[in-house]
Amino acid sequence: MTGSALSGIMPHLPALQVVVPLLSAPICFLLRRGLVSWAFATVISWAAFATALLLLQAVLTDGTIRYEIGGWAAPWGIEYVIDATNAIVLVIVAGIGAVVMPYARRSVAAEVPANQHSLYYTAYLLCLAGLLGVSITGDAFNVFVFLEITSLSSYILISAGAGMDRRALTAAYNYLVLGTVGATFFVIGVGLLYMVTGTLNIIDLSARVPALQDNRTIHVAFAFIVVGMGLKLALFPLHTWLPNAYTYAPSTSTAFLAATATKVSVYVLMRFLFVVFAPTYGFMALTLNYVLLPLALIAMVAATIAAIYQYNLKRLLAFSSVAQLGYMVLGIAYGSVQGLTATLLHLFNHALMKGALFLAVGCIMLRVGDVTMLGVRGLGRQMPWTMAAFVVGGLSLIGVPLTVGFISKWYLVTAALSDGRWPIAAVILASSLLAVIYVWKVVEAAYFKEPPAGRVVREAPLSMLVPTWILVLANVGFGINAEFTVDVAQTAAMGLLGIVP
Amino acid sequence: MLELFLAKYNYWIVILLMMIGLYVVVARGNLVKKIIGLNVFQTSVFVMYISLGKVAGGTAPVLTGKNELFSNPLPHVLILTAIVVGVATTALGLAIVVRVREAYGTIEDDEIEEIERQDMAGDLEGRRR
């Protein structure tokens, strides 16, 4: 019975991946009670994670899946297209959601006013649905719609921190303004593409656009899409919304958004750059080399230096995120199979590290209520498990061997060296060394300074420690045995560049 | 020059609106005015989409059975979605502005910045509110 039910559902997995979280959002709202909403959202997150894993498995065995929504054929209807690239993005998004939700109950209860809990989980489910939708869809305009669902719900997830600190409101407002400008830029680009090609389907676009490489309208569309997605993914110098948003949002929102939202934007940028535009020469190809590459390098160094001077741990990690996004854009700027493999690997790996780190910081927030350098003093002994998680996450961020960070850096450096660009490899190593400083600052405060006199702090509850440690162990696990992730990333990179293995 | 303007006047209007909108977003310090600027900016995109779907001499795409020339309805439908998105963004933006007013007592950018600078100084002294 279950077997036949499952085989009946299997062909519709692509639709269910998005529809289930999307429809459960209003149901979650109607549940009203915070705890019930939380339980419901957790179940839905795990269902979405299971769906994503099944889709990844199906893609890896049978190749690209194309699913027509509502049975309308592709150029007229919207289709969902899942290949190795977005299957892995789906797994990242749904996986982080599934890990963060069990953690959310205690953390949200402490940081968000009780009457907003069920609304908070509703916004979370909408955000999850939006992120999954952006990743899965094969229609350019549909990307915009899901992008805006994601953005609107993430503004809410960020402003929910207003109960703790009013600056969450201005952070959410600034993100709203810049996010809307970014998304509107993107939709202008899509409109211009439609003007020239008469299609919105990404596969059709990829067949028609490369032939029009010298068309001025295509150039303008390209510029709008790159800048729009640059805003969304917080590419230096368009990252100004990010530090405040991550600092003042509730810990759960920060962990979820830091590990997923910017990653999905990186994915969209990759999809448009290499599948739709696929530039081989001229203005668009030069943009990679002379715009994205320098910006990525500046982000890696400047944001890391900015992180060193931060006093608030969340803000420190936010600046480090800007630097890490620089690594991802660097891989994109190479435009080679190795570069894209490194980007995709780092997409996955960075979600694991930043997820683990922000969850650990959330534990500190719950028990100490202060995530500044002052607050973490002496926590090495008072919250040993939380701080150990932070240390392992930090080591991964630096790129120490046996962690996922090392794998990403290794592939980025190899990609740089294979083109003979050793100065870039040197910058990567330099920014990794700078990362040692900010991780060390936290370690020093936690392990070598005395806690403030009279402060009694207990270890974080298990419901929060376990999710944190799941991500920490994933950092180590995928760091020791990277074969699977590297394989998937390589397949995905070749798929993006249209190279048949 | 004038011919270039007249032949593609709709796009010139789009560019003009877009620049006005962006200018208001950047230059105005009042949070509500910024939202209005954002609206003008988004409206310019609506106009762009709608005008690119227009076919010269075409009528509204209603199936009457007669052999008529239609405008392309797809961009119009897309923009219906974008308008909904725009309304949602405006609503959320204004809702946040209301909360900002409650929390800070002002909706002027520079005054909020001044208050936040004091908040930040408070953080650095290690005082917790």
Side-chain angles (χ1 to χ4, degrees):
Chain A
M1 177 58 207
T2 38
S4 65
L6 199 63
S7 65
I9 290 173
M10 279 301 278
H12 297 293
L13 279 183
L16 290 173
Q17 177 81 83
V18 180
V19 170
V20 169
L22 193 63
L23 288 185
S24 43
I27 298 173
C28 185
F29 171 71
L30 292 175
L31 289 175
R32 286 283 176 198
R33 299 261 311 277
L35 205 60
V36 184
S37 302
W38 165 78
F40 181 69
T42 310
V43 171
I44 297 297
S45 302
W46 279 92
F49 186 36
T51 315
L53 285 176
L54 284 172
L55 281 173
L56 178 65
Q57 193 202 14
V59 166
L60 290 181
T61 48
D62 307 331
T64 306
I65 301 172
R66 295 180 70 162
Y67 181 88
E68 292 162 354
I69 294 292
W72 295 88
W76 298 281
I78 291 166
E79 69 170 347
Y80 285 178
V81 181
I82 305 146
D83 55 16
T85 317
N86 51 7
I88 198 167
V89 178
L90 291 173
V91 169
I92 294 172
V93 172
I96 294 291
V99 173
V100 165
M101 274 333 265
Y103 175 101
R105 187 175 62 90
R106 293 293 295 268
S107 182
V108 170
E111 296 181 22
V112 178
N115 59 348
Q116 292 174 8
H117 285 180
S118 114
L119 292 169
Y120 181 87
Y121 293 118
T122 306
Y124 158 78
L125 281 173
L126 278 175
C127 191
L128 180 69
L131 289 166
L132 293 169
V134 172
S135 318
I136 207 170
T137 188
D139 182 274
F141 196 82
N142 207 223
V143 170
F144 163 73
V145 175
F146 278 121
L147 205 61
E148 282 299 64
I149 292 178
T150 311
S151 308
L152 287 166
S153 48
S154 56
Y155 309 144
I156 299 170
L157 289 179
I158 288 164
S159 62
M164 300 274 289
D165 192 320
R166 57 182 171 184
R167 279 169 283 181
L169 294 170
T170 41
Y173 180 86
N174 286 334
Y175 183 20
L176 181 136
V177 171
L178 288 175
T180 306
V181 171
T184 311
F185 269 31
F186 177 79
V187 84
I188 293 169
V190 169
L192 294 171
L193 281 179
Y194 178 75
M195 192 192 277
V196 184
T197 60
T199 181
L200 289 166
N201 185 293
I202 291 178
I203 294 178
D204 287 355
L205 281 172
S206 72
R208 294 180 201 178
V209 173
L212 299 162
Q213 284 216 20
D214 293 318
N215 185 302
R216 182 65 60 84
T217 311
I218 295 285
H219 290 175
V220 178
F222 173 84
F224 270 115
I225 288 176
V226 170
V227 175
M229 290 326 292
L231 260 168
K232 282 276 174 195
L233 71 82
L235 171 64
F236 182 92
L238 306 172
H239 68 282
T240 47
W241 58 267
L242 187 142
N244 274 344
Y246 283 10
T247 308
Y248 302 117
S251 305
T252 313
S253 309
T254 311
F256 179 67
L257 292 174
T260 56
T262 44
K263 309 292 169 297
V264 167
S265 304
V266 172
Y267 157 75
V268 174
L269 183 65
M270 277 200 282
R271 175 71 69 186
F272 274 85
L273 275 184
F274 297 107
V275 176
V276 173
F277 293 105
T280 48
Y281 66 93
F283 167 71
M284 294 193 284
L286 290 176
T287 303
L288 291 182
N289 233 325
Y290 293 101
V291 179
L292 291 184
L293 188 75
L295 288 181
L297 292 175
I298 296 171
M300 281 157 49
V301 178
T304 308
I305 292 173
I308 292 172
Y309 290 100
Q310 295 311 315
Y311 182 70
N312 183 314
L313 249 61
K314 273 176 146 180
R315 185 179 280 273
L316 182 154
L317 291 176
F319 272 105
S320 136
S321 268
V322 176
Q324 303 284 325
L325 286 158
Y327 290 123
M328 287 174 223
V329 175
L330 181 67
I332 292 178
Y334 290 155
S336 61
V337 174
Q338 283 122 321
L340 288 190
T341 306
T343 299
L344 285 160
L345 267 175
H346 200 46
L347 213 69
F348 182 78
N349 294 344
H350 182 246
L352 295 181
M353 336 172 182
K354 268 297 148 52
L357 283 166
F358 273 121
L359 288 184
V361 171
C363 292
I364 301 173
M365 194 72 174
L366 180 82
R367 286 305 192 213
V368 186
D370 179 11
V371 291
T372 59
M373 290 294 173
L374 189 76
V376 294
R377 276 194 189 173
L379 279 187
R381 263 157 290 159
Q382 292 184 318
M383 297 176 75
W385 285 98
T386 305
M387 284 321 294
F390 190 93
V391 171
V392 179
L395 291 177
S396 190
L397 204 56
I398 298 167
V400 174
L402 298 185
T403 59
V404 287
F406 176 71
I407 308 291
S408 312
K409 300 269 166 73
W410 175 266
Y411 276 87
L412 267 172
V413 171
T414 321
L417 290 180
S418 73
D419 292 359
R421 294 195 243 194
W422 59 266
I424 292 175
V427 175
I428 297 172
L429 294 177
S431 94
S432 303
L433 285 177
L434 288 171
V436 175
I437 301 175
Y438 62 69
V439 173
W440 175 254
K441 268 179 68 180
V442 181
V443 171
E444 193 194 7
Y447 287 92
F448 299 102
K449 293 232 171 95
E450 288 302 314
R455 185 183 68 187
V456 184
V457 177
R458 279 180 303 144
E459 182 54 272
L462 268 186
S463 71
M464 289 169 72
L465 269 186
V466 171
T468 312
W469 273 90
I470 288 176
L471 287 183
V472 170
L473 293 177
N475 265 293
V476 180
F478 286 108
I480 294 172
N481 184 3
E483 206 180 329
F484 174 71
T485 43
V486 171
D487 262 1
V488 176
Q490 223 146 24
T491 317
M494 291 202 281
L496 278 177
L497 292 171
I499 299 167
V500 182
Chain B
M1 186 61 209
L2 189 67
E3 269 165 34
L4 182 68
F5 181 84
L6 288 177
K8 299 219 185 314
Y9 73 96
N10 48 339
Y11 295 114
W12 288 104
I13 292 171
V14 168
I15 292 170
L16 194 70
L17 279 176
M18 200 178 279
M19 293 306 124
I20 291 172
L22 274 179
Y23 176 79
V24 172
V25 171
V26 176
R28 291 291 139 189
N30 185 303
L31 299 190
V32 174
K33 286 183 184 167
K34 275 182 194 285
I35 299 273
I36 294 171
L38 214 53
N39 262 316
V40 174
F41 173 55
Q42 286 180 317
T43 306
S44 76
V45 182
F46 304 161
V47 175
M48 182 190 94
Y49 264 79
I50 292 166
S51 65
L52 75 86
K54 171 72 181 166
V55 174
T59 66
V62 182
L63 286 178
T64 52
K66 280 181 278 184
N67 191 10
E68 280 178 314
L69 188 64
F70 298 135
S71 284
N72 183 354
L74 183 70
H76 302 176
V77 177
L78 295 179
I79 266 352
L80 270 180
T81 315
I83 288 171
V84 173
V85 170
V87 169
T89 311
T90 309
L92 182 59
L94 292 176
I96 293 177
V97 173
V98 170
R99 295 283 308 273
V100 168
R101 173 82 168 75
E102 287 169 4
Y104 291 83
T106 175
I107 53 167
E108 292 296 331
D109 222 4
D110 43 354
E111 291 171 22
I112 291 171
E113 229 163 78
E114 184 52 42
I115 295 170
E116 291 201 333
R117 204 169 295 129
Q118 288 162 8
D119 280 9
M120 200 67 98
D123 284 357
L124 286 174
E125 280 166 31
R127 281 189 282 118
R128 293 210 308 274
R129 275 175 296 107

